[in-house]
């Protein structure tokens, strides 16, 4: 390929719309362009990178027993009604109606379609296990599309579905995918960390997310400094506290005019936030409940929802809070409350704690569990944070931000039962197929690679996913000798099967170097008058910014050895 011919318009300026480095460089290096909010077109260089990522994915999935299929993007509403997700999916789903008024959606994911496919043709245990995957566009009308292809509304996903006879088979499929994911991301040059993930309604220890750590990440994770426990905070378990020692003192009202926040209360009473009972009133399936957590912690609503086993959970409005507590917002407490109370472990061990008094401008001291209030349930409902004790080993949690590039998930029989995808086992008995699903955000992976591999001049592609391995830059293409040497080397590298691009433009060398650095080709060979006199060229290694002089006659061999060929 020649730079004069390739459609790769680079930009000098940082586009105003792009906040993240990966987004900026994808636009500036001419890898993609925005078509609409959260919708992008990929240009040739971008497509080359995507194809490399997809090929790595294909190789590893095929090796693990996966078979590639291609499912429709347009999916009929009926299947989603069968699974119950047509309504559940909400506004994120792009919906459409055909000329006969039949409803469809643009697939945000493909569990329904693939389960319906398999139920029609799989009859016997002999046809299992199966692992089917596709690489295709997904559509989600994200509330806040941002960061370019990290959170877009149309994006490329690899989704694989496993079909097994039993849990044991599923465990094997899951492990095979977990291992394949580790290899895929490492071959893409990505440093990822698998963390335990929330499994929504399905529950159990059934899912891992592969996270790329970095401050730009939208997810928060905690990991133990002493053991290998790591989890998304949505999911991270918290260890119970030890009960405090001490004798119960009598309840005592404290006037706290206008003190409606933990910070103000801590300041006024000069006590540690951990001694305060924070009382949050929620509507769980429209019925009020109180959730208690210590003042230095926050409620994890995902955990709370699971404990309550409710379908909807929202913070109560001021009117409800006043009706339930008899006080304005900011003075709720557990004493005298006549609604279900869920207490977190962080408050269940407190002796002589401080809480709202359910009375305007008043708090109450020396609150003791089981004397002054009786919780309906004591449970782990708080959000894990840095400094907390690890549930597994008692070590200490650290927190970090991360971007999820992939997720593996044991579905069990959720979809096979709903869609009646059954098979006959060895005894001729009908059983639901046991399923798993496994996604990788292909376009998001591309951006994540740039987040991990760049510097102030541009992208530094890992060789495995670079759009070309080598760029040849003659300092002056007009110069006959330089041109001849560059063309000859170009032919030789091409013939050796090395992916090479030749900058044959009549541009100043500075412009050519800037573009090459921005696009991030791993190796640049500069052909200039001085070195050419001695039959040499300069090899520049993008990632380390190091230069070596190599005889022209040895360059092909040199590059081959750098590429491990
Ligand atoms: P998130 O929590 O980031 O919204 P998710 O858990 O909803 O993602 P999955 O349904 O697990 O996503 O999708 C599988 C993979 O697809 C994710 O791991 C992620 O890499 C990618 N992905 C999901 N949503 C988007 C999006 N809006 N834009 C780009 N990639 C996405
Ligand atoms: Mg996910």
């Amino acid at each position: 390929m020649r730079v004069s011919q390739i459609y790769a318009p680079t930009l000098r300026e940082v586009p105003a719309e792009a906040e993240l480095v990966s987004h900026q460089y994808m636009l500036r290096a001419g890898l993609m362009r925005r078509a609409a909010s959260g919708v992008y077109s990929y240009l040739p260089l971008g497509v080359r990178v995507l194809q490399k990522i997809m090929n790595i994915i294909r190789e590893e999935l095929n090796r693990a027993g996966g078979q590639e299929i291609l499912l429709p993007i347009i999916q009929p509403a009926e299947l989603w009604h069968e699974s119950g997700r047509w309504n559940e999916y909400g506004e994120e789903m792009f919906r459409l109606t055909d000329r006969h008024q039949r409803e469809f959606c643009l697939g945000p994911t493909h569990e329904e379609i693939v389960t319906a496919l398999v139920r029609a043709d799989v009859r016997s245990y002999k046809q299992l296990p199966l692992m089917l995957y596709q690489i295709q566009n997904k559509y989600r009308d994200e509330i806040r599309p941002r960061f370019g292809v990290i959170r877009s509304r149309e994006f490329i996903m690899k989704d694989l579905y496993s079909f097994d006879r039993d849990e044991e088979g599923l465990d094997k499929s899951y492990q095979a995918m977990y291992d394949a994911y580790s290899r895929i991301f490492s071959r893409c040059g990505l440093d990822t960390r698998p963390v335990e993930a929330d499994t929504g309604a399905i529950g159990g220890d059934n899912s891992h997310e592969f996270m790329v750590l970095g401050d730009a990440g939208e997810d928060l994770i905690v990991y133990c400094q002493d053991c290998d426990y790591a989890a998304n905070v949505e999911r991270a378990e918290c260890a119970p506290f030890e009960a405090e020692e001490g004798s119960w003192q009598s309840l005592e009202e404290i006037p706290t005019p206008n003190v409606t926040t933990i910070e103000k209360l801590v300041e006024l009473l000069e006590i540690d936030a951990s001694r305060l009972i924070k009382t949050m009133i929620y509507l769980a399936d429209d019925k009020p409940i109180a959730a208690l957590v210590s003042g230095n912690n926050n409620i994890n609503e995902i955990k709370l929802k699971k404990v309550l086993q409710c379908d909807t959970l929202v913070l109560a409005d001021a009117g409800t809070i006043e009706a339930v507590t008899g006080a304005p917002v900011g003075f709720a407490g557990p004493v005298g409350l006549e609604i279900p109370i869920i207490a977190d472990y962080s408050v269940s061990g407190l002796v002589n704690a401080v809480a709202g008094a359910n009375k305007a401008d008043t708090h109450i001291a020396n609150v003791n569990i089981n004397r002054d209030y009786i919780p309906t349930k004591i449970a782990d409902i708080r959000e894990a944070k840095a400094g907390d004790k690890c549930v597994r080993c008692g070590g200490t949690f650290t927190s970090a931000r991360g971007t999820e590039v992939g997720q593996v998930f044991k579905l069990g029989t959720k979809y096979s039962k709903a869609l009646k995808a059954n098979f006959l086992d060895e005894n001729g008995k009908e059983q639901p197929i046991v399923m798993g699903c496994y996604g990788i955000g292909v376009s998001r992976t591309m951006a994540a690679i740039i987040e991990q591999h760049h510097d102030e001049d541009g992208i530094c592609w890992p060789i495995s996913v670079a759009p070309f391995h080598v760029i040849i830059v003659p300092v002056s293409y007009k110069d006959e000798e330089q041109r001849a040497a560059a063309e000859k080397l170009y032919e030789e590298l091409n013939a050796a099967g090395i992916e090479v691009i030749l900058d044959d433009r009549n541009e100043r060398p500075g412009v050519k170097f800037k573009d090459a650095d921005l696009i991030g080709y791993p190796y640049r060979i500069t052909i200039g008058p001085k070195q050419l006199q001695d039959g040499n060229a300069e090899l520049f290694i993008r990632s380390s910014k190091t230069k070596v002089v190599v005889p022209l006659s040895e360059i092909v061999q040199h590059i081959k050895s750098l590429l491990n060929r």
Side-chain angles (χ1 to χ4, degrees):
M1 182 51 79
R2 287 162 189 275
V3 175
S4 65
Q5 284 162 13
I6 196 164
Y7 184 53
T10 54
L11 307 173
R12 287 282 161 261
E13 302 296 318
V14 178
E17 65 185 273
E19 225 178 300
L20 281 198
V21 169
S22 56
H23 188 190
Q24 294 171 358
Y25 282 152
M26 284 178 81
L27 294 169
R28 286 191 52 205
L31 304 179
M32 68 169 192
R33 288 290 180 262
R34 177 182 181 275
S37 166
V39 181
Y40 291 88
S41 308
Y42 293 98
L43 310 190
L45 288 175
V47 169
R48 289 183 73 96
V49 175
L50 282 173
Q51 278 171 344
K52 296 213 170 168
I53 298 171
M54 294 193 269
N55 282 342
I56 291 173
I57 293 175
R58 285 196 172 96
E59 279 176 27
E60 293 298 337
L61 294 185
N62 293 348
R63 181 148 86 123
Q67 301 178 55
E68 188 163 358
I69 56 173
L70 198 49
L71 298 165
I73 288 174
I74 297 187
Q75 305 185 13
E78 291 86 70
L79 289 177
W80 291 80
H81 283 302
E82 278 187 58
S83 72
R85 287 209 292 181
W86 184 256
N87 295 327
E88 198 183 294
Y89 223 96
E91 300 203 289
E92 251 186 41
M93 189 185 256
F94 277 105
R95 294 161 206 260
L96 56 145
T97 309
D98 73 6
R99 63 173 82 202
H100 307 296
Q101 303 310 309
R102 282 190 289 251
E103 288 184 297
F104 292 84
C105 69
L106 299 181
T109 176
H110 280 72
E111 282 83 7
E112 280 79 358
I113 281 272
V114 79
T115 308
L117 179 86
V118 165
R119 81 174 164 194
D121 292 300
V122 169
R123 295 266 165 268
S124 153
Y125 69 93
K126 290 179 193 149
Q127 292 165 278
L128 300 175
L130 268 181
M131 283 187 183
L132 303 176
Y133 75 94
Q134 60 167 348
I135 302 179
Q136 196 199 49
N137 281 356
K138 293 278 186 280
Y139 296 84
R140 294 183 188 176
D141 195 358
E142 296 277 357
I143 195 168
R144 231 178 293 123
R146 56 186 185 151
F147 304 149
V149 292
I150 287 191
R151 185 163 300 283
S152 49
R153 299 197 297 167
E154 177 182 84
F155 58 97
I156 307 171
M157 196 203 283
K158 180 289 298 177
D159 44 329
L160 183 143
Y161 305 89
S162 66
F163 302 87
D164 279 281
R165 299 176 201 180
D166 48 28
E167 289 291 331
E168 207 187 319
L170 172 59
D171 288 346
K172 275 195 200 135
S173 300
Y174 187 86
Q175 191 60 44
M177 282 304 112
Y178 185 102
D179 295 342
Y181 274 36
S182 306
R183 283 195 302 269
I184 288 167
F185 292 125
S186 107
R187 281 184 63 187
C188 287
L190 265 184
D191 186 14
T192 55
R193 174 150 208 160
V195 306
E196 288 187 12
D198 177 53
T199 49
I202 294 169
D205 291 327
N206 285 334
S207 178
H208 287 87
E209 288 164 340
F210 285 74
M211 292 284 183
V212 173
L213 301 193
D215 291 340
E218 290 184 289
D219 284 286
L220 193 61
I221 67 164
V222 289
Y223 57 93
C224 180
Q225 294 171 342
D226 301 322
C227 73
D228 60 8
Y229 184 77
N232 194 314
V233 287
E234 288 181 346
R235 145 99 197 165
E237 294 165 52
C238 296
F241 282 64
E242 276 172 36
E244 289 180 333
E245 304 273 326
S247 54
W248 288 350
Q249 290 170 24
S250 329
L251 284 178
E252 195 185 317
E253 282 194 1
I254 324 166
T256 51
N258 298 321
V259 177
T260 54
T261 64
I262 297 285
E263 295 75 46
K264 283 190 198 164
L265 201 59
V266 162
E267 208 181 296
L268 180 79
L269 305 182
E270 296 182 345
I271 56 169
D272 198 84
S274 62
R275 312 234 21 93
L276 303 173
I277 299 177
K278 186 152 77 179
T279 306
M280 310 289 289
I281 311 292
Y282 283 92
L283 289 172
D285 291 339
D286 300 325
K287 288 192 203 71
I289 65 104
L292 313 184
V293 70
S294 66
N296 59 335
N297 279 296
N298 289 315
I299 301 274
N300 176 330
E301 292 181 1
I302 295 172
K303 287 186 190 172
L304 179 59
K305 208 171 153 192
K306 268 189 202 149
V307 170
L308 292 164
Q309 297 189 328
C310 58
D311 293 323
T312 62
L313 182 74
V314 288
L315 273 175
D317 51 285
T320 307
I321 294 173
E322 284 191 37
V324 167
T325 66
V329 176
F331 300 97
V335 183
L337 268 193
E338 286 174 355
I339 53 174
I341 296 175
I342 312 294
D344 180 62
Y345 291 131
S346 61
V347 300
S348 62
L350 290 179
V351 172
N352 301 326
V354 174
N358 297 323
K359 192 169 154 187
D361 296 332
T362 315
H363 279 76
I364 189 165
N366 304 327
V367 173
N368 288 294
I369 194 167
N370 294 335
R371 179 189 73 177
D372 305 316
Y373 72 96
I374 298 178
T376 321
K377 213 174 216 173
I378 297 174
D380 169 17
I381 55 166
R382 73 178 192 277
E383 203 168 80
K385 60 181 192 312
D388 280 359
K389 261 194 185 157
C390 170
V391 262
R392 297 284 154 81
C393 76
T396 310
F397 280 160
T398 302
S399 69
R401 303 208 72 85
T403 301
E404 175 196 326
V405 283
Q407 182 166 22
V408 291
F409 204 116
K410 289 185 192 170
L411 294 169
T413 54
K414 179 180 158 115
Y415 294 95
S416 48
K417 275 189 178 150
L419 283 111
K420 304 194 179 58
N422 300 323
F423 69 100
L424 294 176
D425 68 13
E426 290 96 322
N427 306 314
K429 201 169 159 248
E430 194 160 80
Q431 304 277 8
I433 303 178
V434 183
M435 291 173 55
C437 69
Y438 316 83
I440 291 181
V442 178
S443 33
R444 184 184 283 185
T445 293
M446 176 169 173
I449 295 170
I450 299 175
E451 287 293 327
Q452 280 193 353
H453 298 272
H454 70 267
D455 60 19
E456 63 285 357
D457 296 322
I459 306 167
C460 309
W461 289 113
I463 288 160
S464 59
V465 295
F468 289 91
H469 298 137
V470 180
I471 181 163
I472 303 172
V473 182
V475 170
S476 163
Y477 190 71
K478 275 196 213 137
D479 178 274
E480 231 167 82
E481 272 174 58
Q482 288 180 43
R483 185 170 64 223
E487 291 286 351
K488 180 161 178 274
L489 185 61
Y490 177 63
E491 301 261 301
E492 286 170 0
L493 286 167
N494 262 326
I498 289 161
E499 295 173 36
V500 57
I501 183 161
L502 169 64
D503 199 339
D504 57 346
R505 295 176 297 172
N506 286 321
E507 287 282 2
R508 281 179 291 116
V511 170
K512 295 191 272 197
F513 293 154
K514 270 215 166 68
D515 275 350
D517 281 352
L518 176 61
I519 293 168
Y521 306 107
Y523 305 115
R524 185 184 82 206
I525 297 164
T526 310
I527 297 187
K530 221 172 95 216
Q531 266 133 13
L532 194 55
Q533 272 180 3
D534 306 326
N536 294 331
E538 179 194 270
L539 171 64
F540 173 76
I541 299 175
R542 177 69 185 88
S543 57
S544 59
K545 290 191 159 171
T546 47
K547 292 174 184 170
V548 274
V549 174
V550 183
L552 274 166
S553 57
E554 289 170 23
I555 285 189
V556 174
Q557 207 42 52
H558 200 98
I559 298 281
K560 270 188 169 176
S561 68
L562 286 171
L563 295 173
N564 278 329
R565 294 228 179 125

